[in-house]
Amino acid sequence: GENVEQHPSTLSVQEGDSAVIKCTYSDSASNYFPWYKQELGKRPQLIIDIRSNVGEKKDQRIAVTLNKTAKHFSLHITETQPEDSAVYFCAANRDDKIIFGKGTRLHILP
Amino acid sequence: DVKVTQSSRYLVKRTGEKVFLECVQDMDHENMFWYRQDPGLGLRLIYFSYDVKMKEKGDIPEGYSVSREKKERFSLILESASTNQTSMYLCASTEISGVGSYNEQFFGPGTRLTVL
């Protein structure tokens, strides 16, 4: 079955700098890769997703890249702000299910 | 605006008790999911349902069962609660827009279950 590995587990960046979170997946049939953000005490919410027919997608300060050959995808956050502090989860589809990585806790330092 | 609600935010039960966690969504979504969230382990799929009375095991189904009698409601059942089932439980739903077409999962607020 699909395994999704996520790194790092914790990331601290200075406010205004960029943050990068990386994920790898095992099932070559996977074709949908969402990213969820979970703020403290709140439910996870989708922030961006990418499908296998594109290599990159951008939404304001957030971008995701996908390398299907290497089976890895990454989340890039530029010009980080305090409200970016949260846990971020990558995921990939497996059959009718979505399998999540273990999460990255992102700290934005003042 | 999609709403996914869960019956309790916090629940305390004793070992051996039967526990019901209820989830309701109001957007006529076909697929519903139950996850548990533990520190350092992320979101792990317990069960999911793709239609009324249909269910499929996720990655950690042991000790759990589910029920989906109506499209909008998906229940997670702990037949005999144990201390290792102390966790945050999250329900989610998603719309299906075609074979192999995936869409955003909408999560409920979560139920923090403590088993003493």
Side-chain angles (χ1 to χ4, degrees):
Chain A
E2 176 71 278
N3 281 328
V4 178
E5 300 289 334
Q6 183 171 350
H7 300 280
S9 56
T10 306
L11 178 62
S12 296
V13 300
Q14 212 70 39
E15 183 179 346
D17 287 352
S18 296
V20 181
I21 303 170
K22 299 183 178 182
C23 290
T24 60
Y25 62 98
S26 59
D27 189 348
S28 56
S30 295
N31 58 7
Y32 176 64
F33 307 93
W35 286 87
Y36 284 79
K37 175 183 180 183
Q38 186 178 29
E39 296 177 13
L40 189 63
K42 297 192 175 180
R43 67 192 80 187
Q45 290 192 298
L46 181 74
I47 54 171
I48 195 167
D49 58 16
I50 190 168
R51 299 177 196 270
S52 59
N53 56 344
V54 297
E56 184 173 357
K57 185 176 178 180
K58 193 171 182 180
D59 183 4
Q60 299 182 333
R61 297 187 295 108
I62 293 172
V64 58
T65 59
L66 171 65
N67 183 327
K68 285 220 76 179
T69 304
K71 293 186 195 160
H72 65 71
F73 56 113
S74 301
L75 178 72
H76 304 252
I77 306 174
T78 58
E79 301 172 16
T80 52
Q81 299 170 4
E83 55 264 36
D84 295 329
S85 292
V87 178
Y88 292 81
F89 294 97
C90 65
N93 66 295
R94 183 186 78 203
D95 301 324
D96 289 332
K97 300 177 279 291
I98 298 294
I99 304 302
F100 288 85
K102 292 183 178 180
T104 296
R105 184 172 297 277
L106 176 63
H107 298 276
I108 306 301
L109 306 172
Chain B
D1 196 23
V2 176
K3 272 217 174 120
V4 181
T5 57
Q6 294 182 227
S7 49
S8 305
R9 289 302 303 270
Y10 299 93
L11 209 52
V12 180
K13 296 291 182 181
R14 296 212 172 269
T15 302
E17 279 192 81
K18 190 168 186 176
V19 182
F20 293 86
L21 303 182
E22 304 282 338
C23 174
V24 178
Q25 50 94 4
D26 67 356
M27 285 300 291
D28 203 35
H29 285 172
E30 293 86 354
N31 284 15
M32 296 186 73
F33 307 81
W34 275 106
Y35 296 91
R36 65 177 281 177
Q37 182 174 18
D38 301 287
L41 298 179
L43 298 165
R44 293 182 292 166
L45 182 64
I46 305 171
Y47 267 97
F48 86 101
S49 169
Y50 49 92
D51 203 349
V52 175
K53 296 192 185 295
M54 306 302 285
K55 61 185 179 185
E56 193 168 317
K57 292 179 180 178
D59 294 325
I60 53 165
E62 296 78 17
Y64 304 95
S65 62
V66 290
S67 172
R68 193 160 179 207
E69 297 295 319
K70 294 184 177 181
K71 191 174 185 180
E72 67 271 18
R73 188 181 297 269
F74 191 35
S75 302
L76 180 69
I77 304 157
L78 287 66
E79 295 289 341
S80 178
S82 63
T83 54
N84 63 11
Q85 292 178 309
T86 292
S87 187
M88 170 68 82
Y89 290 87
L90 287 162
C91 173
S93 73
T94 190
E95 181 183 20
I96 296 299
S97 53
V99 175
S101 179
Y102 303 92
N103 296 294
E104 177 178 2
Q105 288 197 342
F106 292 89
F107 284 86
T111 295
R112 185 165 294 282
L113 173 67
T114 301
V115 183
L116 302 175

